[in-house]
Amino acid sequence: MNTEPLLEVNNLKTHFHTERGKVTAVNGVSFSMHKGEIIGVVGESGCGKSVMSQSLLRLLDHTDPIAYEGEVIFEQQDLLKLSPAKLRAIRGDEISIIFQDPLTSLNPVYTIGNQIEEVIRLHQNKSRKEARQQAIEILRLTGIPSPEVRVNEYPHQLSGGMQQRAMIAMALSCEPKLLIADEPTTALDVTIQAQILELIVDLNKKLGMGVLFITHDLGVVSEICTSVKVMYLGQIVEDTTTERLFASPLHPYTQGLIKSIPKLAGSRQDKLHVIEGTVPSLSDVPKGCSFSTRCPFADEKCRSQEPPMETAAENHRVKCWHHARINSLGGEAELRGAVSK
């Protein structure tokens, strides 16, 4: 059995230079994934999920000026060090990405078929006729009805669900080894969302591809992901299996996210749990723990010293000074009292 990671990210940092100085949108992210895994990346809007996913393929290179640090190892190649030409050969072929809004990602003046065929002909030695037939088959695989007709239609002629399926078809047209799905179901209604999720899981099993699933929806994560990375202010603050994350979250931020999930049981008058405060500006990152300004358990150590990413249990890493006491005490009220002592 091959135990080599499909993707290995080591201390990835993404810096933007602005009028207010350098800001770091991704700050020291490290993880690995293997073939066939579905890894969830969760967090509030503004936590760096999309910037991290786009940094893996250097899709932000057009932003001037930008700088990357660290390593993104894919099949023994560091993607951060590849030439633009070599990187283009990998994008869309071995690694594909699905964006959140298909209507702004699809070209409005080309048919769906033209856009899928372009990807196929760019990466594979296929004639125009062969590429057209392959485009029809991949549209059929993604569940689009009458693909022979839809292949000749423009994006505006498709519903939102079919536009997203067309984007997925384009991403899968060369059978990539890694699919990055950046909140692919956010703009869809719940029935179409369920179909898209089922499609991604089904293709994951059929093709054996790894999937990096970016989302803020923990309900989706619980359904399809094998493991989860929780991001806050450009850092991974908790990293564990999906089952363990929901059974025993150790970071106060993760606990807050899980408690914020609406529940069917209980009174309709009950207020939803909220995490106090907002994500700080990247130009004003708190000293010490990045979550200390919003954490109900923060003490002076949290506000002055950045916690390391530590192994709390098997397959469970967390970036919190108080994770051991959180694990042993369990209850939030008990923990607040214990930490404040």
Side-chain angles (χ1 to χ4, degrees):
M1 179 179 176
N2 184 13
T3 58
E4 283 292 315
L6 175 65
L7 178 73
E8 191 169 2
V9 180
N10 299 316
N11 198 31
L12 174 64
K13 296 182 180 182
T14 304
H15 307 290
F16 294 94
H17 294 274
T18 70
E19 293 179 354
R20 301 180 65 180
K22 184 176 78 171
V23 297
T24 302
V26 178
N27 190 5
V29 165
S30 298
F31 67 91
S32 63
M33 68 181 301
H34 291 79
K35 183 179 179 181
E37 274 192 291
I38 302 181
I39 291 179
V41 181
V42 301
E44 294 168 282
S45 296
C47 284
K49 307 183 301 296
S50 293
V51 175
M52 183 274 290
S53 66
Q54 293 178 39
S55 296
L56 299 180
L57 281 173
R58 282 170 40 198
L59 295 178
L60 301 166
D61 281 8
H62 66 280
T63 306
D64 186 33
I66 187 171
Y68 304 103
E69 290 183 45
E71 296 179 323
V72 178
I73 308 298
F74 178 77
E75 295 201 323
Q76 301 180 334
Q77 300 179 90
D78 186 352
L79 301 185
L80 298 185
K81 292 183 171 59
L82 290 185
S83 67
K86 289 184 177 179
L87 194 57
R88 279 196 300 270
I90 292 174
R91 291 175 182 158
D93 184 20
E94 297 183 74
I95 304 177
S96 288
I97 187 166
I98 307 169
F99 294 103
Q100 181 174 343
D101 186 357
L103 198 55
T104 58
S105 303
L106 294 168
N107 193 320
V109 300
Y110 289 95
T111 66
I112 295 300
N114 288 152
Q115 295 181 63
I116 297 175
E117 290 165 35
E118 182 182 13
V119 176
I120 295 169
R121 298 191 70 199
L122 180 65
H123 296 290
Q124 299 179 359
N125 187 24
K126 298 260 177 104
S127 67
R128 190 177 297 276
K129 183 178 180 181
E130 290 171 328
R132 169 54 59 104
Q133 190 57 42
Q134 188 170 327
I136 292 171
E137 290 306 312
I138 195 69
L139 286 172
R140 182 177 286 110
L141 180 64
T142 57
I144 288 185
S146 305
E148 299 87 354
V149 176
R150 301 298 183 188
V151 77
N152 294 311
E153 294 184 339
Y154 291 88
H156 73 272
Q157 295 177 280
L158 306 181
S159 67
M162 283 199 284
Q163 289 171 5
Q164 194 61 283
R165 287 172 185 268
M167 277 291 296
I168 292 173
M170 193 182 307
L172 298 177
S173 58
C174 295
E175 298 190 359
K177 297 174 183 177
L178 172 62
L179 176 67
I180 300 172
D182 188 1
E183 303 200 36
T185 61
T186 298
L188 306 178
D189 63 60
V190 290
T191 54
I192 300 300
Q193 175 176 292
Q195 293 172 13
I196 295 295
L197 293 176
E198 184 179 356
L199 171 63
I200 290 175
V201 172
D202 186 46
L203 294 173
N204 161 258
K205 292 176 181 176
K206 284 182 179 178
L207 303 177
M209 65 183 178
V211 179
L212 192 65
F213 197 91
I214 318 293
T215 184
H216 60 261
D217 190 335
L218 285 168
V220 170
V221 166
S222 67
E223 289 183 31
I224 71 169
C225 296
T226 51
S227 65
V228 190
K229 324 295 179 191
V230 181
M231 284 193 72
Y232 184 77
L233 210 58
Q235 299 179 327
I236 292 178
V237 296
E238 189 157 8
D239 180 0
T240 187
T241 63
T242 304
E243 182 180 1
R244 188 169 178 85
L245 185 87
F246 286 92
S248 182
L250 296 183
H251 197 284
Y253 179 61
T254 310
Q255 291 180 335
L257 290 176
I258 292 175
K259 289 178 67 178
S260 300
I261 301 173
K263 297 175 177 60
L264 293 177
S267 170
R268 293 179 64 182
Q269 279 69 46
D270 290 345
K271 291 184 177 181
L272 292 174
H273 176 80
V274 297
I275 302 174
E276 296 295 334
T278 58
V279 180
S281 167
L282 289 173
S283 59
D284 189 24
V285 176
K287 185 180 179 183
C289 175
S290 59
F291 190 59
S292 61
T293 56
R294 305 175 68 191
C295 180
F297 314 128
D299 58 15
E300 191 55 39
K301 184 177 183 180
C302 300
R303 287 184 281 270
S304 60
Q305 300 177 43
E306 182 179 353
M309 179 65 92
E310 295 184 327
T311 300
E314 186 178 0
N315 296 321
H316 197 160
R317 300 186 306 143
V318 63
K319 193 177 177 68
C320 176
W321 286 118
H322 302 297
H323 69 81
R325 273 185 275 183
I326 292 176
N327 193 30
S328 62
L329 293 172
E332 181 179 324
E334 294 176 281
L335 174 64
R336 185 181 287 108
V339 172
S340 62
K341 291 178 182 177

